[in-house]
Amino acid sequence: MEVRRLDKSFGEVRAVADASFRLYAGEVHGFIGPNGAGKTTTMRIMAGVERPDRGDVSLEGRSLIDHPGETLRQIGFMPDYLDSYPLILAWEYLDFYARIHGQRPSLRRGRLADVVEFTGLDGMLDRPVEALSKGWKQRLSLARVLLNDPRILILDEPAAGLDPRARLELRDLVVRLAANGKCVFISSHILSELSEICRSVTIIENGRVMASSDMDSLRRRIDRGRRMAVSLLNPEPESRRRLARLLAETPGVTGAAEREDGAFFTHDGDDSLKAGILARLVAEGFRVTDFHSATSSLEDAFLVMTAGEGRTEK
């Protein structure tokens, strides 16, 4: 799937601004950005729920905007909520959507059995949808998305509100779907878990794509040379901010940002530069407990690529 120069405004608010990126079969592609960055609007356009003001979404060169009937059948969209159906049972919910897809009775029974087995819903089918826990509702929503066997799955914050066990189980299902050849496009604020399953990622802020690449290329782009992490004893927010500012102002440092226990920075120097930076930090009164080489994480990329609090990148 290719997203090309999407634009979408709501009144004076430009929710998506000239966004472009590509997705490939058999991969999990992460979609991350701050709240209000335009993730959900972009996903709704990709799923055919919203129409863009400009731009296009194509599947193997076939425009979703111009030929929705031919392309939308190959796309499954799981929004960040499950519609409330207080009087319907789980199996009735799935059967209803299978009928919407126009599946004949014989095909419908087989497809329902397949998605129920895959999502592990066997013991929940006779329960009211409203009585299901958040985790089971997410499984039910995923089962609904899989009914027409789409090639591309668009999952908007599927792990939001789940307990750790439910998140792990959902993550396993996502990995299995990609292993079966499907493209899974997933947004989440749980970046540590995304980094474990994503082959590629797109970062968006204020409706604009800040980066879109495979994970290794993104790390190389963020590092731009050697990367270091600094940890402080009892780091307070103000000391972390001051540390990041000091590092960013140091000659030879190419970028710096806060982290939970201190800051990270990238540089284009040698061991002498590192020794000088450490000596300066100690002289400035920072109580450094660790100073080491580090590999970029998805959280680091998010901090550097977006204008979050504490960003001081040059």
Side-chain angles (χ1 to χ4, degrees):
M1 173 179 275
E2 183 176 7
V3 173
R4 295 194 301 272
R5 309 200 68 175
L6 285 187
D7 261 89
K8 180 67 176 180
S9 296
F10 298 96
E12 298 297 318
V13 178
R14 195 178 184 190
V16 184
D18 201 32
S20 298
F21 52 88
R22 292 182 178 182
L23 311 178
Y24 298 93
E27 72 170 11
V28 179
H29 189 112
F31 194 37
I32 64 175
N35 289 329
K39 298 189 299 296
T40 294
T41 300
T42 302
M43 296 178 115
R44 286 170 62 86
I45 293 173
M46 294 168 65
V49 179
E50 298 274 2
R51 287 187 64 87
D53 298 329
R54 286 174 296 278
D56 197 8
V57 179
S58 62
L59 182 59
E60 294 188 345
R62 197 75 170 168
S63 171
L64 181 151
I65 309 301
D66 296 334
H67 307 281
E70 301 173 29
T71 52
L72 288 178
R73 285 191 295 270
Q74 302 180 64
I75 299 171
F77 177 46
M78 180 176 166
D80 59 353
Y81 62 90
L82 181 68
D83 290 333
S84 179
Y85 297 94
L87 301 179
I88 195 171
L89 302 181
W91 75 265
E92 293 173 323
Y93 175 87
L94 293 177
D95 185 69
F96 171 74
Y97 277 100
R99 290 171 185 268
I100 285 180
H101 288 302
Q103 295 176 357
R104 296 186 303 275
S106 58
L107 174 62
R108 188 165 69 244
R109 285 192 294 271
R111 191 62 195 152
L112 284 170
D114 288 343
V115 300
V116 165
E117 179 183 5
F118 180 81
T119 55
L121 282 165
D122 310 65
M124 299 291 158
L125 295 180
D126 290 324
R127 296 192 182 186
V129 171
E130 280 298 286
L132 298 178
S133 68
K134 175 70 172 179
W136 285 113
K137 284 182 178 178
Q138 291 300 78
R139 284 176 178 253
L140 182 64
S141 187
L142 180 60
R144 189 265 305 166
V145 169
L146 294 173
L147 283 170
N148 64 325
D149 196 21
R151 296 168 58 191
I152 297 175
L153 299 172
I154 300 173
L155 313 182
D156 189 5
E157 294 285 347
L162 299 186
D163 61 53
R165 179 180 294 277
R167 288 205 309 268
L168 289 173
E169 292 170 347
L170 179 64
R171 185 179 68 183
D172 179 63
L173 293 177
V174 168
V175 171
R176 289 167 59 191
L177 287 167
N180 289 336
K182 297 188 183 299
C183 173
V184 183
F185 186 59
I186 179 172
S187 69
S188 178
H189 286 110
I190 309 172
L191 304 188
S192 59
E193 293 188 0
L194 273 189
S195 65
E196 296 178 8
I197 63 175
C198 289
R199 182 184 301 175
S200 54
V201 67
T202 293
I203 301 175
I204 187 172
E205 183 179 37
N206 294 326
R208 297 186 179 278
V209 171
M210 311 304 291
S212 187
S213 69
D214 63 85
M215 294 292 290
D216 289 340
S217 297
L218 181 64
R219 289 190 180 99
R220 288 194 296 269
R221 176 178 172 182
I222 295 300
D223 288 351
R224 296 199 308 274
R226 298 186 180 183
R227 177 179 182 78
M228 302 292 297
V230 183
S231 299
L232 301 178
L233 180 65
N234 301 322
E236 299 294 332
E238 178 54 35
S239 64
R240 297 199 305 266
R241 284 192 287 270
R242 191 165 66 90
L243 173 62
R245 286 196 298 269
L246 178 64
L247 288 168
E249 295 165 358
T250 301
V253 171
T254 56
E258 294 178 41
R259 50 183 271 158
E260 185 177 357
D261 62 349
F264 66 79
F265 68 94
T266 55
H267 68 91
D268 55 10
D270 54 16
D271 287 346
S272 295
L273 175 67
K274 291 190 292 184
I277 291 173
L278 178 57
R280 183 184 180 189
L281 295 181
V282 173
E284 291 286 344
F286 289 103
R287 303 173 72 185
V288 178
T289 60
D290 199 7
F291 187 88
H292 65 274
S293 298
T295 301
S296 298
S297 67
L298 190 54
E299 290 93 337
D300 297 334
F302 175 78
L303 287 172
V304 171
M305 288 292 177
T306 64
E309 182 179 354
R311 179 186 175 190
T312 53
E313 190 199 5
K314 293 179 179 178

